[in-house]
Amino acid sequence: MKKTKLRTIAEGNKKAVAGGSRGGFTGSRGWLAAGTLVAAAIGSSTPAMAFVTKDGGKTGQALSPEANLPVKRFSIAAGTLEDGLHAFQVASGLTIKQSLPAGTMAGFQTQGVTGLMPSGEALTKLLEGTGLSFRLDGTSTLVVGLRASADVSVTAQTTMPLSQFTEALTDTPQSITVVPQYIMKEQGISTLRDTLRNVPGISLAAGEGGAQGDSLTIRGFTARNDIFMDGIRDFGSYYRDSFNYEQVEVLEGPAGIEFGRGSTGGVINQESKRPTDSKFVTGTLQLGTDLTRRITVDVNRPLGHLPNGGGVAFRMNVMGDEANIAGRDVVENKRFGVAPSLAFGLGTTTRATVSWVHLGENDIPDYGIPWLLNKPAASKRSAYYGFRHSNFLNTHDDILTAKIEHDLDEHVSLRSVTRFANYPRNTQITEPQVCSNGAISTAPATYGQILAPTNIFNSALLCSYNNAANPTATDPATIMVNRNQITVKSVESDLWQQDSAILHFNIGHVAQSMVLGIEGGREMSNPTRFTFTGVPPATLLNPNEDLVFSGTKALNTITHVAADSGGVYFVDTMHLGRYIDVTGGIRYDYFYTQQRQYTASTTQNVFASRTDKKPSYRAAFVVKPTQHGSVYFDYGTSFNPSAESLSLSASTSVLPPEENETYEVGTKWDFLQEHLTVAGAAFRTVKDNARETSPSNALVTVLAGNQEVKGMQVSVTGRMPHDFNILSGYAYLDSKVIASQFFPNAIGAPLANVPKQTFNAWLTRGLLYRFVGGLGGNYVASRTASSTIPYVATAWTGTTPANAVVTAIGLKQVPGYWAFNAEVHRPINERFELQANVYNLLNRAFIDEPHPSHLVPGAGRSALFGVNYKF
């Protein structure tokens, strides 16, 4: 009787939603369900959700994302739709989200589905007769809701297509921020650096002497070597452009299991665009202040089908960019990129993609302004201390990737990726230096206690204004700046193989989602470095960038480094019913590095090698009170080998890896029918046995430091009606040195380049006359330049280092800053849209990228005007 009544109500619901002449509602509960659905349809401005069958069947029109969904074998019995959708998730490995009021799904029935077919077709069959449809949100999440007529995603939830993760973002026990393509488009973003300004807990840093390109810290620890592309390490020293990004994912917290060495504070993954079976041409044409010129073209073309029915598609992304930097003299960036990709077997059990990314850069680089004691030098914001006609940064990066995916059945999917990458660079950069001194203390220090000023300095190691022309000058008008030349010619390369299996199965009544992975390859670095003598200095207040370069070049070192590494891992998530997930994993890494270095001054060849064999662990559990929220705890370890950045020395070759532990507790919730996602986490990371280099002997390095970062972060992501979008986050980081052998005066001091607070916000809203406006900004608190020598002399008596007596000290740090940006865009017709962006609205002067030896100012106010097009 009860069963019959439920079936009657379900049938009434189905007929009511389907509408037309096929029937009406049965019973008051049917009217209630219908009213709920209609109210949801009227009250929500959610644009259309459509998708479905290849033959354009009952639930909508065929859309291109269907071809990219995996083919699986399904055996789902008839019954309640809720049970059917749960079985579909297990069988397909995809995530189902509902865009319906709570409780609406109850009572719906499905006729089930059986057979080997694309996942989209299987879900279509499950939904037949319900009046519901679905759409693809990202690459692995399907949103089920009311039938509509357009493929427009408006949910806040985004997905992460990395095979190392099997769960939806809400159910993944880790802080993850995804910056989608639409945010990059609204903000007019062209680089990875600007993309990462949308992520709390990240601080940008200036390039170093031996390695240029993107440099940053995540949750207080350097992440220059933790940048990935499609799940494989992208360790080249270059500045990355966003023209081929589908989205950028930042995983903060423990990631050693999934990504191997490094990943102390987290990792960054650049997700590339890939071919689909739809035909389109999109792109941008932009002109701006400071001679900015940029064009991008994104072309996708289906090329037919293979004999087995699989689709073939080609995609090409092209970019050209040339610009000066607002508020900076001489500096110029020129980039060209091309990224073709070819996909086979779309919509079948076996899919393959071959892609190539080429990015070339020819810049007049910017190492900014010098330090003056413990502050940025009081020079003009625009001052350029290099040589206009002799400084350059040339890179020509090529990344070739082949990926094959195969679905054995509904339980097992295999993935294999092969990559060869080549990163040549040739650079000569001027680093301006006035005084980058620090001095040490051999006096003891108590845990967490900073030494008193009288004990900080050894006067024999003190430097004053470091220039030979006028060593005791104090008037900025007479201070000379040393133009240190950083010259490197190098080629880094990478040959890598990554294989994984994604398993979905049951042990008893416990569902399991497991990833088994093995990867390995060879990374190489071959830098040749030079030194210069006789380089003319510059005046602090009026540097002459057009001065003819007259330095004498000499060979310094020739280095060859090769690292062979491999890792094997598994991560298993056990679904203990619908409310609790438990995750555990272990990884074992092998890392062997050999280095041969020739030093011209001694005419010696020095060989060094190091082998590390190290496990990493992870454990987590998730409690899901509802399908729209989770609370989690996560624990993970990682390690940093001595040759992590492909560099060794006699002293580091005998040192075992640094070891890291992270604890995190957090929560994630979806609101407003998944239009709004809120996440928060508290965490603590400890680095044991941090490497320290003796300030009196660069050949001596020991594992004698301990560092700690603890804090919290929150984020809000929303895609709501009326073009109301929000991406915002806040992070609080409390970092400090908790032990140090060589630098006891640093105990209790903050770590380098770690602001206590970072905040980002970006909001857009529909305005009158079809205009959409956006406003946002960033706050970065003050940062120090070094954790090992945090204090420098700011005043002393005496005229030489030998007789100097320190009378005052200060942290070598840069002040915090706010920067605000805005945009407005408006469609002209279906194909063209106008857009204007303004950056640094208030024209604030600030230091954007600090380094212990130099400082790079942020760009001044600038504007960008463009046309977005699609055909």
Side-chain angles (χ1 to χ4, degrees):
M1 179 70 140
K2 190 172 184 180
K3 185 175 181 181
T4 304
K5 183 177 180 181
L6 286 176
R7 183 179 295 114
T8 303
I9 294 172
E11 290 172 354
N13 288 343
K14 289 189 291 183
K15 293 176 181 179
V17 175
S21 61
R22 292 188 294 169
F25 289 90
T26 303
S28 60
R29 291 185 62 184
W31 281 106
L32 180 61
T36 304
L37 291 176
V38 172
I42 296 174
S44 171
S45 299
T46 306
M49 298 188 302
F51 189 62
V52 250
T53 60
K54 291 182 178 180
D55 59 1
K58 298 180 180 179
T59 54
Q61 299 176 349
L63 297 173
S64 61
E66 178 186 352
N68 289 323
L69 294 177
V71 174
K72 298 286 186 179
R73 185 173 298 280
F74 296 90
S75 181
I76 302 175
T80 68
L81 182 58
E82 280 189 311
D83 289 342
L85 292 177
H86 180 69
F88 175 85
Q89 289 188 103
V90 175
S92 67
L94 301 171
T95 299
I96 294 292
K97 295 285 187 179
Q98 296 182 31
S99 182
L100 293 168
T104 305
M105 192 68 72
F108 280 97
Q109 299 287 308
T110 178
Q111 297 302 312
V113 59
T114 302
L116 184 68
M117 65 189 73
S119 298
E121 183 178 338
L123 186 52
T124 297
K125 293 180 180 295
L126 282 178
L127 298 178
E128 280 184 356
T130 66
L132 303 177
S133 65
F134 70 94
R135 59 178 168 76
L136 183 64
D137 185 16
T139 58
S140 61
T141 297
L142 301 170
V143 181
V144 174
L146 293 174
R147 180 184 300 173
S149 59
D151 179 38
V152 181
S153 172
V154 296
T155 63
Q157 272 289 357
T158 48
T159 61
M160 189 167 54
L162 291 170
S163 65
Q164 294 97 318
F165 298 87
T166 60
E167 308 306 308
L169 285 181
T170 303
D171 301 334
T172 300
Q174 187 168 0
S175 294
I176 301 173
T177 301
V178 178
V179 184
Q181 190 183 73
Y182 77 88
I183 290 289
M184 302 181 212
K185 178 182 176 183
E186 289 175 349
Q187 295 180 352
I189 284 174
S190 62
T191 65
L192 176 63
R193 283 173 293 169
D194 288 338
T195 303
L196 296 177
R197 298 183 196 276
N198 291 288
V199 182
I202 286 184
S203 179
L204 302 179
E208 300 182 355
Q212 292 72 48
D214 297 312
S215 183
L216 65 147
T217 60
I218 300 178
R219 283 191 179 175
F221 297 96
T222 180
R224 194 182 69 81
N225 298 302
D226 297 323
I227 301 175
F228 291 73
M229 178 182 290
D230 301 320
I232 296 180
R233 195 180 306 274
D234 178 30
F235 74 96
S237 294
Y238 71 106
Y239 294 103
R240 294 158 178 85
D241 193 283
S242 61
F243 78 103
N244 196 43
Y245 288 171
E246 191 65 45
Q247 62 185 36
V248 172
E249 303 134 6
V250 180
L251 297 85
E252 299 183 68
I257 291 291
E258 296 85 0
F259 296 95
R261 74 178 193 264
S263 63
T264 308
V267 300
I268 295 159
N269 184 60
Q270 310 157 88
E271 197 66 43
S272 302
K273 296 177 181 178
R274 60 180 182 177
T276 73
D277 69 345
S278 60
K279 182 179 180 181
F280 62 80
V281 177
T282 65
T284 61
L285 176 62
Q286 298 170 314
L287 299 174
T289 58
D290 305 293
L291 299 179
T292 299
R293 291 147 285 172
R294 180 177 175 88
I295 184 171
T296 64
V297 181
D298 183 357
V299 180
N300 191 88
R301 286 290 183 272
L303 301 178
H305 290 81
L306 298 171
N308 67 350
V312 180
F314 173 77
R315 191 167 186 172
M316 171 78 80
N317 277 270
V318 180
M319 175 275 302
D321 188 294
E322 186 170 353
N324 297 343
I325 304 299
R328 298 290 295 149
D329 291 343
V330 181
V331 182
E332 183 178 63
N333 296 328
K334 295 180 181 179
R335 296 192 300 272
F336 170 76
V338 57
S341 54
L342 185 63
F344 304 90
L346 296 177
T348 69
T349 57
T350 303
R351 304 168 298 281
T353 304
V354 179
S355 63
W356 171 49
V357 177
H358 172 79
L359 182 62
E361 189 159 16
N362 183 13
D363 297 346
I364 300 178
D366 188 9
Y367 265 35
I369 63 176
W371 290 94
L372 184 56
L373 300 175
N374 65 326
K375 298 178 180 179
S379 57
K380 292 187 298 183
R381 175 181 179 175
S382 61
Y384 185 77
Y385 292 92
F387 299 88
R388 184 192 302 271
H389 304 294
S390 299
N391 287 156
F392 55 86
L393 171 61
N394 297 327
T395 61
H396 300 280
D397 307 301
D398 294 284
I399 303 170
L400 181 64
T401 307
K403 177 180 178 180
I404 299 176
E405 298 173 288
H406 178 64
D407 304 319
L408 290 177
D409 53 30
E410 67 271 25
H411 302 297
V412 181
S413 296
L414 305 178
R415 176 181 177 272
S416 181
V417 183
T418 303
R419 172 171 294 170
F420 172 73
N422 196 54
Y423 307 96
R425 59 189 168 106
N426 185 19
T427 182
Q428 181 174 326
I429 302 174
T430 297
E431 180 183 54
Q433 296 178 340
V434 171
C435 186
S436 58
N437 73 294
I440 67 167
S441 170
T442 58
T446 304
Y447 176 92
Q449 176 186 358
I450 299 173
L451 294 181
T454 55
N455 294 326
I456 288 212
F457 290 98
N458 178 336
S459 60
L461 297 175
L462 180 66
C463 79
S464 61
Y465 296 114
N466 182 22
N467 66 87
N470 195 353
T472 60
T474 57
D475 182 359
T478 62
I479 292 175
M480 303 298 292
V481 177
N482 178 42
R483 288 167 153 171
N484 179 42
Q485 297 301 297
I486 298 173
T487 305
V488 182
K489 189 173 185 179
S490 182
V491 177
E492 281 76 47
S493 60
D494 180 19
L495 180 61
W496 201 257
Q497 178 66 36
Q498 185 182 85
D499 299 293
S500 59
I502 300 93
L503 313 177
H504 298 280
F505 58 94
N506 289 350
I507 298 179
H509 295 290
V510 179
Q512 311 274 330
S513 297
M514 181 180 292
V515 179
L516 302 174
I518 184 170
E519 60 181 324
R522 165 165 282 203
E523 300 162 272
M524 300 182 68
S525 179
N526 299 285
T528 298
R529 295 185 173 90
F530 303 88
T531 59
F532 282 88
T533 57
V535 179
T539 60
L540 178 63
L541 298 185
N542 294 291
N544 182 4
E545 61 268 15
D546 293 311
L547 188 68
V548 176
F549 183 78
S550 58
T552 301
K553 184 178 181 180
L555 177 65
N556 185 19
T557 60
I558 301 174
T559 307
H560 299 286
V561 186
D564 297 316
S565 59
V568 58
Y569 68 93
F570 85 90
V571 181
D572 183 27
T573 298
M574 296 178 288
H575 305 279
L576 306 179
R578 296 188 181 183
Y579 301 103
I580 299 177
D581 292 347
V582 177
T583 298
I586 185 171
R587 179 185 180 110
Y588 187 80
D589 279 290
Y590 168 87
F591 189 57
Y592 170 69
T593 307
Q594 53 183 332
Q595 174 176 300
R596 190 177 302 276
Q597 185 175 80
Y598 168 77
T599 304
S601 60
T602 61
T603 66
Q604 290 183 340
N605 281 292
V606 177
F607 177 81
S609 65
R610 171 76 198 172
T611 301
D612 292 302
K613 301 175 183 178
K614 188 74 176 173
S616 302
Y617 306 96
R618 186 177 185 192
F621 68 85
V622 181
V623 178
K624 298 178 283 186
T626 74
Q627 66 176 349
H628 300 295
S630 67
V631 180
Y632 66 87
F633 170 79
D634 192 16
Y635 166 80
T637 68
S638 61
F639 69 96
N640 302 91
S642 297
E644 177 183 8
S645 58
L646 300 191
S647 178
L648 275 176
S649 67
S651 61
T652 59
S653 65
V654 300
L655 298 179
E658 302 171 321
E659 298 180 352
N660 315 295
E661 282 189 328
T662 296
Y663 301 84
E664 179 175 323
V665 59
T667 185
K668 304 177 184 180
W669 292 88
D670 296 331
F671 299 101
L672 303 178
Q673 300 180 26
E674 297 185 1
H675 289 187
L676 187 71
T677 298
V678 179
F683 51 85
R684 178 176 182 262
T685 299
V686 176
K687 178 185 286 291
D688 292 327
N689 294 322
R691 284 185 292 273
E692 290 189 349
T693 302
S694 170
S696 59
N697 186 349
L699 299 179
V700 176
T701 304
V702 297
L703 292 182
N706 286 357
Q707 301 170 346
E708 177 190 65
V709 177
K710 56 186 177 182
M712 55 80 66
Q713 69 182 68
V714 294
S715 63
V716 179
T717 305
R719 298 204 71 184
M720 288 166 278
H722 309 295
D723 293 307
F724 182 25
N725 300 330
I726 177 173
L727 179 63
S728 182
Y730 168 81
Y732 175 84
L733 303 177
D734 180 14
S735 68
K736 63 182 176 181
V737 177
I738 57 178
S740 177
Q741 174 176 316
F742 286 134
F743 306 94
N745 61 296
I747 294 177
L751 303 185
N753 195 32
V754 184
K756 270 192 178 293
Q757 300 182 82
T758 56
F759 172 76
N760 65 276
W762 179 255
L763 299 94
T764 61
R765 184 68 165 86
L767 306 174
L768 297 175
Y769 306 109
R770 300 177 67 194
F771 282 95
V772 177
L775 181 66
N778 298 85
Y779 172 72
V780 179
S782 63
R783 295 165 282 173
T784 61
S786 173
S787 60
T788 53
I789 310 178
Y791 297 95
V792 295
T794 59
W796 63 87
T797 60
T799 57
T800 67
N803 64 20
V805 176
V806 176
T807 59
I809 60 166
L811 278 169
K812 197 175 187 182
Q813 67 184 97
V814 296
Y817 69 89
W818 282 94
F820 299 97
N821 309 311
E823 73 95 18
V824 63
H825 64 268
R826 185 190 187 281
I828 303 175
N829 52 38
E830 292 184 355
R831 300 186 183 276
F832 294 97
E833 178 184 70
L834 297 179
Q835 180 170 334
N837 293 75
V838 180
Y839 305 98
N840 194 358
L841 277 167
L842 303 181
N843 200 26
R844 292 280 181 84
F846 60 93
I847 298 299
D848 189 31
E849 300 175 356
H851 184 273
S853 298
H854 63 274
L855 301 157
V856 179
R861 181 167 49 228
S862 62
L864 191 65
F865 307 93
V867 177
N868 306 316
Y869 57 88
K870 57 182 179 181
F871 298 96

